[in-house]
Amino acid sequence: GENVEQHPSTLSVQEGDSAVIKCTYSDSASNYFPWYKQELGKGPQLIIDIRSNVGEKKDQRIAVTLNKTAKHFSLHITETQPEDSAVYFCAAGSGNTPLVFGKGTRLSVIA
Amino acid sequence: NAGVMQNPRHLVRRRGQEARLRCSPMKGHSHVYWYRQLPEEGLKFMVYLQKENIIDESGMPKERFSAEFPKEGPSILRIQQVVRGDSAAYFCASSPGSSSAGELFFGEGSRLTVL
């Protein structure tokens, strides 16, 4: 089955700097790669996703890149703000198989 | 349009008791997923259901755990004879189709504490 590795587990950045979180996956059949943000005491919320037919997708300060050959994808947050502080999860899946999540990255943005 | 509703939000049980967690998916969603989250861990898939059917229960322990999604009413995750290791946050998510076809909408979670 699919296995998703996520790094780093914790990340601290100064406000205004960029943050990058990386994930690798094992199943070459995976074709859907979402990123979720989880704030304290809340459920995860989708912030951006990418499918295997594109290499990059951007939404304001957030971007995701996908390298199918290397089986890795990354989340980039630019101009970080304190409200970006949360736990971020990557996930991978395909067809009718349930999404497999990484272990999460705790991002702290220091004002 | 209400989101995914889970209850109870917090549940305390003593070892050996039963825990029942309920999940009402978003309106129009017929696919429900249950995930378990341990402290400082990711989301571990447990079970995937459509109305009246279990599609994939590969992540759910064979003993003590069961799930259902009846034709009417919420999906229920049931844990019998709870043990301390069952303490975790249990998240339900719903989607209109299979999870890898699009966004999963998560509830706020049910936090189970076993004393």
Side-chain angles (χ1 to χ4, degrees):
Chain A
E2 178 63 273
N3 182 49
V4 177
E5 300 283 341
Q6 182 172 348
H7 300 280
S9 57
T10 60
L11 178 61
S12 290
V13 299
Q14 292 289 329
E15 183 178 359
D17 286 351
S18 295
V20 180
I21 303 170
K22 299 182 179 182
C23 288
T24 60
Y25 62 99
S26 61
D27 189 350
S28 56
S30 288
N31 57 15
Y32 177 62
F33 308 93
W35 286 87
Y36 283 80
K37 177 182 180 182
Q38 185 178 28
E39 296 177 341
L40 193 63
K42 305 272 190 180
Q45 276 196 305
L46 180 75
I47 54 171
I48 195 168
D49 57 10
I50 191 167
R51 297 185 186 275
S52 58
N53 57 345
V54 296
E56 185 173 357
K57 184 176 179 180
K58 191 173 181 181
D59 182 5
Q60 298 184 339
R61 296 186 297 109
I62 294 172
V64 58
T65 59
L66 170 65
N67 183 328
K68 286 174 57 180
T69 304
K71 296 201 197 69
H72 65 69
F73 55 114
S74 301
L75 177 72
H76 304 251
I77 307 174
T78 58
E79 301 172 23
T80 53
Q81 301 167 3
E83 51 265 38
D84 294 330
S85 297
V87 179
Y88 291 81
F89 293 97
C90 63
S94 64
N96 289 320
T97 60
L99 287 173
V100 176
F101 285 80
K103 288 195 172 184
T105 297
R106 183 175 300 279
L107 173 65
S108 299
V109 179
I110 303 163
Chain B
N1 186 13
V4 176
M5 304 300 291
Q6 287 189 250
N7 69 83
R9 292 292 311 279
H10 300 274
L11 182 62
V12 179
R13 285 287 179 264
R14 296 190 181 281
R15 281 178 296 170
Q17 292 184 318
E18 179 180 288
R20 280 188 182 229
L21 310 178
R22 288 175 290 278
C23 169
S24 295
M26 285 185 69
K27 188 176 181 181
H29 288 191
S30 59
H31 298 244
V32 165
Y33 306 80
W34 285 93
Y35 283 82
R36 177 162 64 177
Q37 185 176 38
L38 293 167
E40 305 303 317
E41 296 260 339
L43 295 152
K44 296 290 188 185
F45 166 74
M46 298 182 72
V47 62
Y48 163 31
L49 312 101
Q50 292 183 39
K51 281 287 186 182
E52 300 185 276
N53 290 304
I54 295 175
I55 307 302
D56 183 342
E57 57 182 347
S58 59
M60 195 160 67
K62 294 286 188 288
E63 297 180 357
R64 302 188 299 108
F65 286 73
S66 62
E68 62 177 11
F69 189 16
K71 186 177 180 181
E72 300 291 337
S75 175
I76 294 175
L77 179 67
R78 182 182 177 202
I79 311 172
Q80 295 178 288
Q81 299 174 326
V82 296
V83 301
R84 289 218 172 106
D86 296 333
S87 296
Y90 293 83
F91 288 94
C92 169
S94 73
S95 70
S98 68
S99 68
S100 297
E103 181 176 357
L104 275 183
F105 294 82
F106 280 88
E108 301 272 86
S110 291
R111 282 153 184 82
L112 172 65
T113 301
V114 180
L115 301 177

